[in-house]
Amino acid sequence: MPDPCPRSEAESVLTVRYFAGARAAAGGTSSESVEAATIEELTQLLADRHGERLALVMKAASFLVDGLACHDRTAALPAGTTVDVLPPFAGG
């Protein structure tokens, strides 16, 4: 099965969208633009920007990259990508 996480070498301008608890942890921000090359870098930048509460949420969060689940936090992100931050949801 091919890896759904895109590959790229350069840092990219991305759109990040927050859902549920991630939105609350980001101070109510629903989306923003960020320059990052990987999800790992993205999570660090967002933690620096919004604080420890969002950092904790992102440790357990799932990430959709242009609508596809991406579990490899070192996967490169191409310019123009939309990354959805989905915290764990209660209830199943």
Side-chain angles (χ1 to χ4, degrees):
M1 178 175 218
D3 184 356
C5 303
R7 304 282 175 198
S8 173
E9 297 299 320
E11 191 168 273
S12 307
V13 176
L14 315 167
T15 300
V16 179
R17 298 188 305 183
Y18 302 101
F19 293 87
R23 180 180 294 168
T29 300
S30 60
S31 70
E32 63 184 313
S33 295
V34 177
E35 279 191 36
T38 65
I39 290 177
E40 189 172 73
E41 182 181 346
L42 176 69
T43 59
Q44 183 61 54
L45 290 168
L46 295 174
D48 292 346
R49 185 179 289 181
H50 295 287
E52 184 62 25
R53 185 172 171 210
L54 182 59
L56 290 172
V57 169
M58 288 189 301
K59 284 182 182 180
S62 298
F63 297 90
L64 298 182
V65 177
D66 286 339
L68 298 174
C70 185
H71 304 288
D72 180 359
R73 291 184 182 222
T74 63
L77 300 169
T81 296
T82 297
V83 178
D84 295 329
V85 181
L86 306 171
F89 294 95

